[in-house]
Amino acid sequence: MGTFRIEGGHRLSGEIYPQGAKNEALQILCAVLLTDEKVTIHNIPDILDVNKLINLLRNLGVKVEKIGKGSYTFQSDELDMHYLASEQFKKDGGGLRGSIMIVGPLLGRFGKGYIPKPGGDKIGRRRLDTHFEGFMKLGADFRYNKEERFYGVEAPNGLTGDFMLLEEASVTGTANIVMAAVLAKGTTTIYNAACEPYLQQLCKMLNSMGAKIGGVGSNLLTIEGVERLGGCEHRILPDMIEIGSWIGLAAMTRSEITIKDVSWEMLGIIPTVFRKLGITVEKKGDDIHIPAHKDGYEVQSFIDGSIMNISDAPWPGFTPDLLSIILVIATQARGSVLIHQKMFESRLFFVDKLIDMGAKIILCDPHRATVIGHDFKSQLKATTMTSPDIRAGISLLIAALSAKGTSTIHNIEQIDRGYENIEERLKSIGARIERLE
């Protein structure tokens, strides 16, 4: 288990480039299974979760070739479908939640798809019902081996398009259903579809491969099935969660940082939410500039004077992956804020580590926390902690970089799952961080 040792309390400065989007990469990589032609993908982040999925694809028989930093070609012309019944597949698929998205393309192209119950963050119950209910709407038969916790769907006669109203606007669920539906007979209509930038990118890629998907960017997708898809070339967006992380890092350490090439048009309300905490987020071309907040930052209130409440919601609402960052930077704001995590369970349980560091946080229940900011009058104290998941891990790292003294974070593999070469990139802007194996 790896460990970071962080000497906090230092100002940072310079430029930092965001990696490719993790959540988009997991969808895009699964989509290469839909064609036997070569697919070229650029800006793939070199992170644990993505590398696990690439390894799974290799084991399935996909020909993978690295052609440059972050650039790969994939060709799925000789897949080994027997791998899906192997113990190795159970191990590979069970260690990564994103592996669920191989089921849709395999079902659409080969009439069958299987997956062990996938892993990922321990952030409460994350149902797979949306995925499989969508597949069944397209005519697939569902199988579940309770003893082995193994899921399967089969459609030996192919899939047929249908109308479906999703119970929840699941991003991975929508992606999976879309990837199955592009090769189904007839027309599929998905209402209450997720419309996150990751899903928009997937649909654009599929359309470039010959799919016919309408309504991209809305919650009503119409998919006319086609007989086959061809190859394509695709570039992954910069990771908006990492961009938000760097905004939070700059604010907490009162540092002047420029985040380069952020694709502003795809950030939605992320800059707006950070501004609600009083953080100056400047647009300079396609870059974000965060000036040094030497006098701190002050939380806004609502127009009726009531306490600021920041909560997550499906896109175009505020992404749940950044709520932990918002919570951490609120600990040094001037004023108070209520953080309401609506979409996932247990994601706020890392606040005990922040309380140990001296933060003023009241955990109201598993979904809500009230933060009373220090206004930098009382610096967080260094401590030893363990990263429970990706987003809590990066939040604790930001807290440690702002704290007085030397902190230790264990289980940093959780951070590595979502952030590429993070200690070297932080060192390049002045952070004092060391990885201990």
Side-chain angles (χ1 to χ4, degrees):
M1 189 168 68
T3 298
F4 279 144
R5 185 163 58 205
I6 304 111
E7 184 182 309
H10 300 285
R11 297 282 177 93
L12 313 177
S13 65
E15 298 178 344
I16 195 161
Y17 285 82
Q19 68 188 32
K22 165 186 176 279
N23 290 341
E24 179 187 340
L26 296 176
Q27 297 180 25
I28 295 300
L29 288 171
C30 293
V32 306
L33 296 170
L34 283 164
T35 178
D36 60 0
E37 296 185 16
K38 188 173 287 187
V39 175
T40 303
I41 304 175
H42 303 290
N43 204 29
I44 297 176
D46 183 11
I47 55 177
L48 200 55
D49 275 12
V50 168
N51 293 336
K52 280 184 177 181
L53 182 55
I54 291 174
N55 184 60
L56 186 153
L57 293 174
R58 278 196 181 101
N59 290 340
L60 182 55
V62 179
K63 296 167 185 170
V64 181
E65 182 182 357
K66 186 173 183 178
I67 57 175
K69 187 182 185 313
S71 295
Y72 290 77
T73 63
F74 302 85
Q75 190 157 10
S76 307
D77 56 344
E78 294 180 319
L79 297 185
D80 176 16
M81 300 298 283
H82 297 294
Y83 166 68
L84 300 177
S86 69
E87 289 300 316
Q88 185 63 45
F89 176 59
K90 292 177 185 177
K91 181 181 177 182
D92 294 343
L96 173 67
R97 183 168 182 83
S99 62
I100 182 64
M101 287 182 289
I102 72 168
V103 177
L106 290 176
L107 177 64
R109 184 174 166 200
F110 299 102
K112 56 184 177 181
Y114 308 102
I115 197 71
K117 186 171 183 179
D121 287 332
K122 308 304 181 194
I123 55 174
R125 192 168 49 91
R126 301 171 80 183
R127 297 183 297 115
L128 297 176
D129 300 51
T130 301
H131 301 250
F132 291 104
E133 286 172 358
F135 297 148
M136 288 188 283
K137 264 288 193 180
L138 296 174
D141 295 321
F142 174 66
R143 292 172 46 195
Y144 176 50
N145 184 322
K146 191 173 184 180
E147 291 181 2
E148 297 186 7
R149 303 176 82 195
F150 204 77
Y151 298 89
V153 276
E154 296 177 349
N157 298 318
L159 301 173
T160 303
D162 201 348
F163 171 86
M164 60 186 80
L165 173 60
L166 303 188
E167 183 182 345
E168 60 172 349
S170 164
V171 178
T172 56
T174 303
N176 228 348
I177 296 166
V178 166
M179 286 189 282
V182 289
L183 293 176
K185 302 181 188 76
T187 301
T188 300
T189 304
I190 307 173
Y191 195 26
N192 195 30
C195 50
E196 271 76 358
Y198 320 125
L199 202 284
Q200 295 178 40
Q201 285 285 98
L202 173 67
C203 291
K204 290 174 185 176
M205 173 182 167
L206 293 174
N207 280 344
S208 74
M209 296 168 71
K212 296 179 180 179
I213 306 171
V216 177
S218 76
N219 68 345
L220 180 63
L221 295 177
T222 303
I223 305 157
E224 292 182 40
V226 297
E227 290 189 4
R228 67 181 306 276
L229 296 178
C232 73
E233 188 166 354
H234 178 82
R235 183 174 183 84
I236 292 171
L237 286 173
D239 195 315
M240 64 182 179
I241 311 305
E242 192 179 87
I243 291 165
S245 303
W246 303 144
I247 296 173
L249 173 66
M252 273 293 279
T253 59
R254 290 194 277 185
S255 302
E256 183 177 0
I257 294 176
T258 299
I259 311 164
K260 302 292 289 182
D261 301 339
V262 300
S263 292
W264 262 92
E265 73 281 1
M266 303 302 282
L267 292 178
I269 65 168
I270 289 173
T272 302
V273 173
F274 281 99
R275 288 168 179 148
K276 287 182 178 180
L277 290 183
I279 296 167
T280 302
V281 181
E282 299 175 347
K283 185 179 188 299
K284 295 195 171 181
D286 201 32
D287 302 339
I288 288 177
H289 179 252
I290 309 297
H293 288 72
K294 295 178 181 178
D295 298 322
Y297 42 90
E298 184 172 2
V299 181
Q300 297 177 10
S301 59
F302 288 114
I303 57 175
D304 64 356
S306 57
I307 185 173
M308 176 58 61
N309 181 341
I310 295 178
S311 59
D312 58 338
W315 190 270
F318 188 63
T319 172
D321 283 340
L322 282 176
L323 267 191
S324 56
I325 304 292
I326 291 291
L327 190 149
V328 166
I329 60 179
T331 64
Q332 288 294 2
R334 191 159 52 251
S336 301
V337 61
L338 175 66
I339 306 296
H340 191 171
Q341 169 63 266
K342 297 178 180 178
M343 294 176 65
F344 295 105
E345 302 166 354
S346 309
R347 253 194 170 167
L348 299 180
F349 286 171
F350 75 100
V351 301
D352 60 332
K353 313 294 192 304
L354 299 175
I355 293 170
D356 287 345
M357 298 176 80
K360 294 179 181 177
I361 304 173
I362 302 167
L363 187 60
C364 309
D365 55 46
H367 291 274
R368 295 179 300 163
T370 300
V371 185
I372 299 97
H374 283 307
D375 190 20
F376 292 101
K377 290 183 170 61
S378 176
Q379 196 171 1
L380 296 182
K381 303 184 298 290
T383 189
T384 298
M385 43 201 160
T386 299
S387 172
D389 63 65
I390 301 175
R391 308 310 174 188
I394 194 67
S395 302
L396 294 174
L397 178 54
I398 290 171
L401 286 164
S402 74
K404 183 179 181 180
T406 300
S407 295
T408 303
I409 303 178
H410 298 298
N411 196 29
I412 59 173
E413 288 80 5
Q414 287 287 353
I415 300 174
D416 289 337
R417 286 178 49 216
Y419 292 82
E420 177 180 331
N421 195 21
I422 189 165
E423 71 274 18
E424 294 304 322
R425 296 162 72 204
L426 289 173
K427 283 179 181 178
S428 73
I429 57 172
R432 301 187 185 182
I433 178 172
E434 183 182 4
R435 180 184 291 262
L436 308 175
E437 297 297 341

